[in-house]
Amino acid sequence: MTTFREIRDSRLADETGTLHKQADLAVALCYPSPYHVGMSSLGFQTIYRGLHNLPGVTAERAFLPDDLDEARRLSEGLCTYESGRPVGDFSVVAFSLASELEIAGMVTCMDLAGIPALASERAAHSRSFPLVVLGGPLTFSNPVPAAPFADVIVMGEADALVSVLTQSLREQPERDTLLADLGRRPGFYVPSLHGENAPAIAIAPDRYLPAFSQIVTPNTELAGMFLVEPERGCSRGCAYCVLRRSTGPGMRVVPPERVLSLIPSGARRVGLVGAAVTDHPALLPIVRALVEAGRAVGVSSLRADRLSDELVGLLARAGTRTLTTAADGASQRLRNQVDRHTRAEDLLRAARLCRAHGMTSLKVYVLIGLPGETTADIDELAGLALELAAHVSNLSLTVSPFVSKRNTPLDRQPFEEIASLDEKLAHLRRQLRGRAHLGGDAPKWAWVEYRLAQGGFSEGLAAAQAARAGGSFAAWKQALGG
Ligand code: SF4
């Protein structure tokens, strides 16, 4: 049995960059997934630092416990890492939501903290509860299912809006006037005033770029890695993607000298993260400078059509053993149809570069269930995978069912039947004859994501019901009425 205090003390001892500050306005900054996920989020870390940088404001982190049953059995509640203070004692509790399924984690966090999850329950109560603020990547597509739990939602890029929010908090001590004030400002969604009509997302001025790590820790998915964002957004137009150029201002590029200047001299491992890092026009000089300084380098979102011999060679020198890229659509016809345009030749070239530079594995992300997909498309995918497998020691396909998102041209497209997706996966597995590892999201969980991605208040309430019923798929199915 390990207590929260023991886990927290051990993790804090492993961190570099933890911030401690006493201030009048203290925000409990919560991540509705466990620590190792939350601490990999650059957005979460950026808001943590942004709050600390504001005069008279501090922030302390809290996470969904790793072992929920144990946390409930020990009645530990939900406490912050920095001071161990109960989250329910803060005047403001903020959640960063990356995905639809984290709505359930957020409700669980509030239950553990003793905060009524519904904003309407908090408002009707005789005692006062913290102001609950939401933000994060989910707001780029559809935050409405999360809205019944929020007093206010920061839409889109929150970098500049945290100071607007804290300023308003100081000027408006009464909750009603505070919400009325925020509801008039761009980028703030106040569900009690706006209902299910979320306002447009905010875009942070370029001077807030790039985001970069505040805390480096070995206890994350990207262990011990200093993360920096050389670009934000994407100029491409994939019809299923909320990061496509039409959702925001396209790709914003940070000059290489600025990126390099932010990396601490002691950082041995550097992650370059963003939606389209390989589209950065100066990526090669950045990676070259890092590798020549003896650092290990990881690059997210490698586009197969942007891989050069020199880039893959540098990544191999920097310690990369697995080349990760995406095909998305199962066939060339589907990729063209959704404006993805990745070509089979690009993927085959990636596999050859992988082998030429001694990398052991190639990992390819694939979408199935795009509108109009047939078994012939799955057969084409299997054929391509067998060709790729001939070039590399280990091929891994991470297959996710297509989920239609708001703010994209494919909004409102139906979700393929779970049984049909399961059959396509079984068919693909048979065709691959063990020559590639098949992973990815199970279709049943993609269906839950779809219902929330396309849902409103009632789907959010169903998420709370499912979370409190144990969070199994059966619980979600019953709550969503599927
Ligand atoms: S899927 Fe990738 S390449 Fe396409 S628009 Fe989104 S971020 Fe850009």
Side-chain angles (χ1 to χ4, degrees):
M1 178 183 75
T2 314
T3 63
F4 167 73
R5 178 178 279 274
E6 288 165 337
I7 295 171
R8 182 197 70 155
D9 288 352
S10 143
R11 285 178 175 162
L12 286 177
D14 284 340
E15 289 183 349
T16 308
T18 316
L19 298 171
H20 294 277
K21 177 180 168 187
Q22 296 292 325
D24 295 343
L25 177 56
V27 178
L29 189 57
C30 303
Y31 202 92
S33 285
Y35 177 95
H36 74 281
V37 180
M39 288 307 293
S40 300
S41 164
L42 202 45
F44 182 71
Q45 293 220 21
T46 300
I47 296 302
Y48 174 65
R49 178 175 47 239
L51 286 165
H52 271 269
N53 284 344
L54 295 172
V57 183
T58 187
E60 300 188 10
R61 297 161 296 147
F63 303 87
L64 185 71
D66 300 34
D67 186 339
L68 259 182
D69 292 338
E70 188 70 358
R72 286 188 179 118
R73 203 178 63 73
L74 296 173
S75 303
E76 287 182 317
L78 189 71
C79 298
T80 60
Y81 269 55
E82 280 73 6
S83 71
R85 187 176 158 197
V87 165
D89 288 356
F90 284 71
S91 55
V92 180
V93 174
F95 285 92
S96 176
L97 290 170
S99 69
E100 289 80 1
L101 287 158
E102 285 184 344
I103 294 172
M106 174 184 68
V107 170
T108 304
C109 284
M110 286 205 259
D111 287 351
L112 288 170
I115 302 169
L118 287 172
S120 56
E121 285 172 0
R122 297 193 294 275
H125 215 281
S126 53
R127 64 166 272 212
S128 66
F129 288 100
L131 184 85
V132 174
V133 182
L134 312 187
L138 182 64
T139 64
F140 283 81
S141 51
N142 180 20
V144 177
F149 311 104
D151 294 304
V152 61
I153 299 179
V154 183
M155 296 289 294
E157 297 178 1
D159 313 57
L161 295 185
V162 287
S163 66
V164 178
L165 175 69
T166 52
Q167 181 70 24
S168 188
L169 274 162
R170 288 183 195 297
E171 290 169 359
Q172 310 287 350
E174 295 301 322
R175 184 165 304 210
D176 288 351
T177 50
L178 169 72
L179 296 181
D181 177 54
L182 290 172
R184 285 191 291 271
R185 296 173 184 263
F188 290 97
Y189 173 21
V190 178
S192 59
L193 302 175
H194 295 129
E196 293 191 318
N197 300 311
I201 57 168
I203 300 297
D206 285 357
R207 67 177 183 279
Y208 285 91
L209 272 61
F212 56 96
S213 289
Q214 173 59 42
I215 294 172
V216 176
T217 165
N219 302 308
T220 65
E221 304 211 333
L222 304 165
M225 205 173 235
F226 180 87
L227 305 178
V228 59
E229 172 196 43
E231 60 80 33
R232 187 176 289 185
C234 184
S235 300
R236 302 199 188 200
C238 308
Y240 48 86
C241 177
V242 290
L243 297 174
R244 70 198 304 277
R245 58 178 174 258
S246 62
T247 308
M251 186 171 83
R252 284 172 289 164
V253 170
V254 181
E257 51 283 6
R258 169 96 177 118
V259 174
L260 293 169
S261 73
L262 291 166
I263 299 169
S265 55
R268 302 321 307 156
R269 304 185 70 224
V270 177
L272 304 173
V273 298
V277 177
T278 41
D279 285 350
H280 192 299
L283 179 65
L284 260 180
I286 295 173
V287 175
R288 203 182 293 126
L290 293 170
V291 172
E292 284 172 0
R295 306 180 202 249
V297 184
V299 177
S300 75
S301 61
L302 292 170
R303 301 281 170 268
D305 60 354
R306 298 282 299 171
L307 294 176
S308 64
D309 186 61
E310 185 181 3
L311 177 61
V312 178
L314 283 168
L315 292 174
R317 254 179 82 192
T320 303
R321 292 289 161 263
T322 300
L323 197 67
T324 302
T325 188
D328 287 357
S331 67
Q332 198 63 58
R333 177 185 74 84
L334 288 172
R335 291 194 287 275
N336 293 344
Q337 184 180 298
V338 297
D339 282 337
R340 172 72 197 189
H341 302 300
T342 301
R343 300 172 310 165
E345 306 89 276
D346 297 325
L347 295 162
L348 285 163
R349 212 168 123 270
R352 284 193 290 269
L353 287 171
C354 193
R355 185 173 62 182
H357 290 286
M359 292 188 184
T360 52
S361 306
L362 177 68
K363 181 172 177 179
V364 181
Y365 285 95
V366 183
L367 277 180
I368 62 166
L370 281 166
E373 183 183 84
T374 67
T375 309
D377 297 304
I378 303 297
D379 288 341
E380 185 177 321
L381 171 62
L384 175 60
L386 290 173
E387 275 192 79
L388 293 172
H391 291 284
V392 290
S393 311
N394 301 299
L395 174 68
S396 163
L397 297 184
T398 301
V399 184
S400 303
F402 159 68
V403 172
S404 165
K405 300 276 171 148
R406 294 276 164 83
N407 287 330
T408 68
L410 293 184
D411 185 19
R412 314 269 174 197
Q413 290 293 323
F415 187 78
E416 188 166 331
E417 292 287 328
I418 294 172
S420 167
L421 290 163
D422 282 336
E423 175 45 40
K424 282 181 176 173
L425 283 171
H427 178 73
L428 179 59
R429 196 178 298 279
R430 285 193 295 275
Q431 305 262 80
L432 292 175
R433 304 188 294 275
R435 307 259 304 275
H437 172 77
L438 214 50
D441 303 337
K444 63 183 185 182
W445 289 109
W447 173 81
V448 174
E449 181 189 338
Y450 163 77
R451 290 294 305 274
L452 293 169
Q454 289 291 318
F457 285 177
S458 56
E459 282 72 17
L461 299 178
Q465 184 185 327
R468 288 169 179 155
S472 65
F473 179 65
W476 277 98
K477 210 168 161 217
Q478 179 164 25
L480 289 165

